[in-house]
Amino acid sequence: MGKGLNSFERAVWVYHLNTGSCNACDIEIVSLLTPRYDVERFGIKLVPSPRHADVLLVTGPVVKGMDERARRIYEQVPAPKAVIVVGTCGTDHGVFYSSYNTAGPVDQVIPVDVYVPGCPPRPEAIIEGVVKLWAKLESQRRGVQETAEQDAAGKEGVAL
Amino acid sequence: MAEYSYSYKIPVGPVHPGLKEPIHLSFEIEGEEVVNLDIKTGWVHRGIEYLGLQRNPIQVIYLAERICGICSVCHAFCFARAVESAAGIEVPLRAEYIRTIIAELERIHSHILWAGVAAHLMGFDSLFYYTWRVREEVMDVLEYLTGNRVNYGILAIGGVRRDITTDGAAKIRENLESYLGLFNRLVEAFVEDPSVRARTRDIGVLTREEAIETCAVGPTARASGVATDVRQDQPYCAYADLEVKAITPEAITGETRGDVFDKAVVRLFEIAQSIEIIEKCLEGLPEGKISAEDKLPRLLNQLKKASGEGISSIEAPRGEDYHYVRLEEGEANVTAWKVRAPTYANIPSWFPMMKGAQIADIPLIVASIDPCISCTDRVTVVDRKKGTTTVLTEEDLRRLCVEKTRRMLR
């Protein structure tokens, strides 16, 4: 388990966004949910709306037109949030490096926390990536909590 | 007096939980009924054909695989055949048989995947999990044979990159036997189950005339009673020795209605057909080389000297896949490359299927042709003038289709 992952405090809900992927990563992600890998037993769940998600999982090289959608969807995910890129083409364009219709790899459109390279990566690699991200998300959440507590304490101080 | 219209529009996509890939569908609805449909594609357009013109044929193989991750071998397969026909390369018979085996294994995985997705859309999730668990077995065999679960990288120009050893053949046989055992359970779950039948019977009907009119291909056409199959009509590779017959629902259930149920029946029984084909291929697997030219630099020089055009069409899991390639002497790169993926031919069949359908049936009908948007978007032309995109109507699609055929003939 990654550093910083103390407990399974809460389930991690993932929203999957396809920005022009070839389906290879996408079917490997669906494989993750089905009995062979079954990540739902760890509390990792795919949700149908970005507003319910903790994690935004992005596949594909971000074709033109989808960059605007990716930004809008990223903004709809409530904080604390994290972004994971699955696949080489989302990481650095891979075979599509000289295409005229891409708006840059995912990290040029929205901030990215974890990259899972591979064309497509094996399901085990995607699980590893999600675990790393989970650790990051939990430390972020603790950070948010601490700041909130400090803020609350500060306000009380003023009130007194 | 002003006339009132009772119809309203429901936009679906490009990002929507009911869709697995980005595509924009705009439905005109009256009450619960779909009156009209508009499609806007281009959300997955990566300009692959243009990229292909900057690379040599050996590199394009890997690009062709990434047109689609589900039917990855068929694009590489089709491209390799087109290049071989342009350059006059003779493929060893053993390689032809290995290609056939891999293509049929891929058909099994693709059809099981579709069955799972259809079950999921019906709300029958236990069946979805069951089919995908079963699918992992063929993925294991494909991984054993090629080294990869998806995007196998086994096709090469002039042959294949890996041989099927006796171990590999034993693994395939073991897998096929297990599938023969499971097949009856799948038939029970899809064909005999009353709830699946109630959900799919007379939904999304495509008549035989409509299928011919919209130029549908593959299982979509076969489910409407059009007995078309490239493996039967223009046999290639090992299919010439096997006498493949197109599967139509009439032969199985005794009637053809062209609905979602018939499409499921056709796909399921094609799994059984693929098992049979692979068994025959393994039996008759000839000895010999697996590649016309092992040394890549020499192959590259041979391709550089070649001049000509090549056309090839193969039966992909979703229907006829078609590639056109032109090579010119002294030019290392491919000078022209055109792909017509099966979903591109099948999308117009949505229009007759959708008319009169209920909103709740939309995802099932969309899925019934087993759409592969990443294949399609590589070929769809979308005008982007000052950032605006034109919506493709049925008329436009047909016009583009006709124009493309003319361009190819030129």
Side-chain angles (χ1 to χ4, degrees):
Chain A
M1 287 286 132
K3 207 184 162 192
L5 186 65
N6 289 343
S7 62
F8 293 91
E9 284 173 15
R10 213 181 97 177
V12 162
W13 285 10
V14 182
Y15 181 75
H16 170 212
L17 171 66
N18 175 341
T19 62
S21 152
C22 74
N23 274 342
C25 298
D26 309 78
I27 53 167
E28 290 297 67
I29 288 158
V30 182
S31 301
L32 282 181
L33 305 175
T34 50
R36 167 76 67 88
Y37 299 100
D38 193 16
V39 291
E40 282 188 12
R41 69 200 150 123
F42 302 130
I44 303 171
K45 192 177 178 313
L46 221 57
V47 289
S49 168
R51 291 172 203 277
H52 300 162
D54 305 300
V55 171
L56 187 60
L57 190 152
V58 189
T59 56
V62 192
V63 301
K64 280 182 187 161
M66 283 307 281
D67 52 343
E68 181 52 38
R69 263 91 191 163
R71 257 180 235 118
R72 263 158 61 183
I73 285 167
Y74 176 76
E75 280 160 14
Q76 286 174 13
V77 180
K81 59 187 160 189
V83 178
I84 176 169
V85 173
V86 171
T88 301
C89 61
T91 307
D92 66 354
H93 273 170
V95 288
F96 308 120
Y97 64 91
S98 55
S99 171
Y100 56 83
N101 201 43
T102 47
V106 179
D107 55 7
Q108 288 187 14
V109 180
I110 52 176
V112 176
D113 298 282
V114 171
Y115 300 89
V116 184
C119 193
R122 289 190 59 84
E124 290 89 340
I126 305 177
I127 298 179
E128 165 100 33
V130 173
V131 168
K132 285 209 162 122
L133 193 85
W134 201 335
K136 194 167 178 172
L137 205 61
E138 287 212 342
S139 64
Q140 226 179 41
R141 190 180 293 137
R142 271 198 297 276
V144 170
Q145 254 168 15
E146 276 163 25
T147 345
E149 278 162 19
Q150 278 164 9
D151 282 358
K155 270 175 200 156
E156 275 171 23
V158 172
L160 282 168
Chain B
M1 226 175 93
E3 253 187 58
Y4 291 101
S5 164
Y6 294 99
S7 71
Y8 56 96
K9 280 198 172 171
I10 298 185
V12 179
V15 180
H16 189 273
L19 303 166
K20 298 281 165 271
E21 288 177 85
I23 184 168
H24 182 90
L25 304 166
S26 176
F27 293 96
E28 209 178 310
I29 309 283
E30 263 182 36
E32 272 289 309
E33 238 178 54
V34 179
V35 195
N36 213 343
L37 159 71
D38 240 354
I39 302 172
K40 185 171 159 188
T41 58
W43 309 102
V44 209
H45 180 75
R46 289 150 290 165
I48 292 182
E49 279 160 358
Y50 166 79
L51 297 179
L53 305 187
Q54 303 164 350
R55 296 171 201 189
N56 68 45
I58 296 171
Q59 293 169 320
V60 174
I61 284 264
Y62 301 98
L63 199 56
E65 280 198 323
R66 279 149 187 86
I67 289 175
C68 173
I70 299 178
C71 39
S72 70
V73 84
C74 45
H75 284 294
F77 188 178
C78 202
F79 174 77
R81 278 179 53 79
V83 170
E84 282 149 13
S85 112
I89 297 170
E90 187 103 2
V91 181
L93 201 57
R94 189 176 174 85
E96 300 267 42
Y97 269 70
I98 294 173
R99 283 176 176 191
T100 310
I101 290 171
I102 301 288
E104 291 303 320
L105 284 172
E106 190 183 61
R107 193 183 314 278
I108 293 178
H109 118 70
S110 178
H111 283 348
I112 296 181
L113 182 148
W114 178 84
V117 171
H120 173 66
L121 289 172
M122 274 181 253
F124 200 166
D125 267 0
S126 48
L127 185 56
F128 162 57
Y129 288 128
Y130 177 72
T131 48
W132 277 64
R133 210 251 314 134
V134 168
R135 178 179 160 271
E136 288 293 334
E137 289 178 24
V138 72
M139 299 297 278
D140 285 345
V141 173
L142 279 167
E143 190 182 1
Y144 184 85
L145 294 175
T146 66
N148 294 313
R149 279 168 60 88
V150 189
N151 290 348
Y152 319 109
I154 192 169
L155 257 288
I157 288 166
V160 287
R161 290 179 60 235
R162 284 195 188 192
D163 203 355
I164 291 181
T165 56
T166 39
D167 274 6
K171 270 230 151 93
I172 300 173
R173 284 212 176 87
E174 197 183 305
N175 177 247
L176 294 183
E177 255 167 48
S178 124
Y179 273 145
L180 276 179
L182 290 167
F183 182 69
N184 287 337
R185 285 194 69 183
L186 281 175
V187 169
E188 213 175 284
F190 277 97
V191 183
E192 283 154 27
D193 187 271
S195 55
V196 173
R197 185 183 278 259
R199 196 69 189 80
T200 54
R201 249 311 176 210
D202 297 323
I203 302 280
V205 176
L206 184 73
T207 62
R208 192 187 147 83
E209 289 70 35
E210 283 165 348
I212 294 169
E213 206 172 85
T214 56
C215 307
V217 292
T220 310
R222 289 197 282 277
S224 298
V226 185
T228 162
D229 190 321
V230 187
R231 296 174 295 172
Q232 165 198 288
D233 305 335
Q234 303 157 321
Y236 52 95
C237 283
Y239 298 113
D241 301 343
L242 301 173
E243 289 184 22
V244 180
K245 279 262 176 310
I247 287 188
T248 49
E250 190 149 17
I252 299 152
T253 57
E255 54 176 341
T256 305
R257 294 203 204 169
D259 50 11
V260 179
F261 181 80
D262 277 353
K263 291 183 182 71
V265 166
V266 166
R267 289 203 175 89
L268 275 181
F269 281 82
E270 277 185 23
I271 298 176
Q273 187 187 36
S274 292
I275 294 174
E276 203 179 305
I277 291 173
I278 299 167
E279 270 172 355
K280 279 187 191 158
C281 280
L282 283 176
E283 250 169 56
L285 191 63
E287 291 298 320
K289 291 206 303 179
I290 56 159
S291 176
E293 179 57 72
D294 295 336
K295 295 188 178 70
L296 288 184
R298 198 188 283 170
L299 177 66
L300 211 53
N301 278 348
Q302 194 183 340
L303 290 169
K304 220 175 192 174
K305 279 181 222 151
S307 183
E309 292 173 307
I311 290 172
S312 119
S313 81
I314 66 157
E315 185 72 20
R318 286 158 186 78
E320 185 190 8
D321 184 20
Y322 178 94
H323 280 229
Y324 162 83
V325 170
R326 190 172 69 225
L327 300 175
E328 268 166 34
E329 208 179 330
E331 181 69 54
N333 295 348
V334 177
T335 49
W337 181 27
K338 176 78 222 139
V339 184
R340 211 274 342 251
T343 303
Y344 187 76
N346 277 337
I347 277 187
S349 69
W350 273 341
F351 293 91
M353 279 198 272
M354 284 291 181
K355 277 188 187 141
Q358 288 190 349
I359 299 174
D361 293 333
I362 288 172
L364 203 56
I365 298 173
V366 167
S368 76
I369 67 160
D370 199 358
C372 182
I373 312 300
S374 59
C375 286
T376 312
D377 262 5
R378 196 214 28 66
V379 281
T380 306
V381 181
V382 178
D383 280 334
R384 288 176 182 277
K385 284 174 189 159
K386 293 165 198 160
T388 58
T389 51
T390 46
V391 179
L392 292 179
T393 60
E394 187 182 6
E395 231 15 74
D396 287 339
L397 277 170
R398 200 174 284 159
R399 181 178 51 79
L400 286 172
C401 193
V402 171
E403 275 175 11
K404 252 174 204 160
T405 317
R406 291 206 182 119
R407 265 212 306 281
M408 279 188 276
L409 290 174
R410 221 174 269 156

